[in-house]
């Protein structure tokens, strides 16, 4: 599978976007709520490139969601962003985007050099109050939140980690595309919780038991490392 749109911002007509990370949404039940807060979440790209774009999704949301500031940057020490790497995203040229129930929105491209297995920090600020956000449940990745608009902040100061296992879902984001340096094919992994990296928990709402959170231990991550090591143009 390869994204079909030709790119802008100086790219030649033959260049194509490729999905470097994706996690389809499953529900919005008991999801994290936000009110004048910034949510920072981490995704790991399986392909490098010279530019990125992000897709937001409110597929399972019952109400519109407005995001007032959306930024991406290279993740360092989980919640921190590498100095100078933060980029504000726009949607059809506007920094504020509203997602209707069931709708998605693709950001405008931004220049950012990324590598395969690069961890990317995505910061979403919502001034309003929203609950039951559409999500990919159980990301096996820590979720961080801060009061007010901290999307542009590169340090992790003011962010709190959410440690409840079932709350650590990917919220409102379902795909990151890159502009690869060479034509790239994309492999999609279909499967169950094993493919997804879902870990066992003790009891109904217990703590994680013997798992590696935020360490990219899903089997598609191992496949991506092998493809990168073999220098194959496959995401």
């Amino acid at each position: 599978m390869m994204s079909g749109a030709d790119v802008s911002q100086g790219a030649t007509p033959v260049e194509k976007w490729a999905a470097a990370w994706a996690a389809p949404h499953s529900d919005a039940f008991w999801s994290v709520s936000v009110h004048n807060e910034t949510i920072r979440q981490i995704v790991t790209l399986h392909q490098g490139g010279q530019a990125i774009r992000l897709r937001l999704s409110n597929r399972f949301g019952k109400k519109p969601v407005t995001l007032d500031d959306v930024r991406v940057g290279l993740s360092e020490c989980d919640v921190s962003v590498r100095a100078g790497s933060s980029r504000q995203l726009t949607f059809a040229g506007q920094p504020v985007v509203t997602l209707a129930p069931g709708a998605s929105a693709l950001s405008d491209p931004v220049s950012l050099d990324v590598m395969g297995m690069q961890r990317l920090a995505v910061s979403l600020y919502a001034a309003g109050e929203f609950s039951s956000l559409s999500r990919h449940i159980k990301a096996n990745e820590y979720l961080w939140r801060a009061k007010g608009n901290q999307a542009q902040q590169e340090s992790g100061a003011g962010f709190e980690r959410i440690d409840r296992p079932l709350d650590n879902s990917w919220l409102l984001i379902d795909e990151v595309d890159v502009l690869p340096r060479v034509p790239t094919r994309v492999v999609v992994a279909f499967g169950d919780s094993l493919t997804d990296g879902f870990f066992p928990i003790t009891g109904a709402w217990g703590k994680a038991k013997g798992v590696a959170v935020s360490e990219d231990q899903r089997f598609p991550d191992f496949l991506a490392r092998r493809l990168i090591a073999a220098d194959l143009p496959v995401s």
Side-chain angles (χ1 to χ4, degrees):
M1 182 182 92
M2 191 175 269
S3 299
D6 289 335
V7 301
S8 56
Q9 295 194 348
T12 64
V14 298
E15 291 176 313
K16 302 284 187 180
W17 290 92
W21 174 90
H25 287 193
S26 58
D27 62 54
F29 175 70
W30 200 36
S31 179
V32 171
S33 301
V34 297
H35 181 201
N36 189 30
E37 288 179 300
T38 301
I39 296 292
R40 182 166 289 174
Q41 43 200 322
I42 309 300
V43 302
T44 299
L45 304 179
H46 283 177
Q47 175 66 28
Q50 54 193 325
I52 66 170
R53 65 185 186 186
L54 176 79
R55 189 172 70 190
L56 300 173
S57 173
N58 192 24
R59 181 178 180 84
F60 292 96
K62 302 300 184 184
K63 297 179 180 179
V65 176
T66 297
L67 298 174
D68 301 272
D69 197 355
V70 180
R71 296 180 187 250
V72 298
L74 306 183
S75 171
E76 287 195 338
C77 301
D78 291 324
V79 68
S80 298
V81 176
R82 185 179 302 174
S85 71
S86 180
R87 304 285 189 274
Q88 184 177 36
L89 297 182
T90 58
F91 298 81
Q94 301 300 313
V96 178
V97 60
T98 297
L99 302 169
S104 62
L106 187 64
S107 78
D108 302 320
V110 292
S111 291
L112 184 65
D113 283 328
V114 292
M115 305 298 291
M117 299 310 295
Q118 176 80 62
R119 288 171 65 78
L120 193 72
V122 180
S123 301
L124 310 175
Y125 168 65
E129 183 173 2
F130 305 98
S131 60
S132 299
L133 300 177
S134 187
R135 66 176 178 174
H136 179 94
I137 188 171
K138 194 65 231 51
N140 204 19
E141 188 70 61
Y142 288 120
L143 192 66
W144 308 79
R145 71 192 313 165
K147 293 292 184 182
N149 187 1
Q150 304 298 328
Q152 76 286 354
Q153 180 175 273
E154 292 180 330
S155 79
F159 281 89
E160 280 188 322
R161 194 176 77 186
I162 300 175
D163 284 326
R164 296 184 300 273
L166 292 180
D167 281 350
N168 287 324
S169 303
W170 282 304
L171 303 174
L172 298 177
I173 56 174
D174 70 351
E175 185 173 326
V176 180
D177 298 335
V178 299
L179 175 58
R181 296 171 180 85
V182 297
T184 297
R185 295 182 180 273
V186 176
V187 172
V188 181
F190 290 92
D192 55 15
S193 56
L194 178 65
T195 308
D196 207 26
F198 194 99
F199 58 72
I201 58 176
T202 58
W205 316 112
K207 295 183 179 180
K209 180 177 65 176
V211 299
V213 180
S214 295
E215 293 185 12
D216 300 322
Q217 298 294 302
R218 310 162 193 87
F219 88 70
D221 296 319
F222 285 93
L223 174 60
R225 291 186 185 97
R226 293 180 66 178
L227 292 168
I228 293 167
D231 198 27
L232 295 175
V234 180
S235 175

